Amino acid sequence: MLARQATSLDHASAGRFELGIGWGSVPTELTTFGAGSTDTIERVSRLGESLAVLRALWSGEVVDHKGEHFTLVGAQQRP
């Protein structure tokens, strides 16, 4: 969903959109919102995998991904 929204905003703004993404630097917020582990190593791992998934989706190709944090089957980004 994030990849789709970012792509749509980028197209609507004629390429002026910049996506800012973080690794979850406030552990209490992760707990409050049920966003996953507060362990630093796991948060960095999840961010790395998130970026890999976004890059793959932005290629426009069909994406199959089975990782430690995310699984996608036949996913494709179409703005």
Side-chain angles (χ1 to χ4, degrees):
M1 181 60 101
L2 175 63
R4 183 178 321 151
Q5 291 170 340
T7 300
S8 295
L9 285 170
D10 187 57
H11 286 221
S13 69
R16 295 186 311 268
F17 176 75
E18 293 185 23
L19 176 66
I21 188 168
W23 64 293
S25 61
V26 183
T28 55
E29 288 181 357
L30 295 171
T31 302
T32 300
F33 294 105
S37 173
T38 60
D39 177 67
T40 301
I41 293 172
E42 187 169 337
R43 288 184 293 164
V44 171
S45 172
R46 186 171 52 236
L47 173 61
E49 189 172 332
S50 296
L51 295 173
V53 167
L54 287 171
R55 279 189 210 104
L57 287 169
W58 285 331
S59 75
E61 302 297 321
V62 175
V63 175
D64 290 323
H65 173 86
K66 175 126 176 81
E68 182 180 345
H69 306 284
F70 307 104
T71 300
L72 289 80
V73 178
Q76 188 174 23
Q77 170 57 46
R78 295 184 187 152

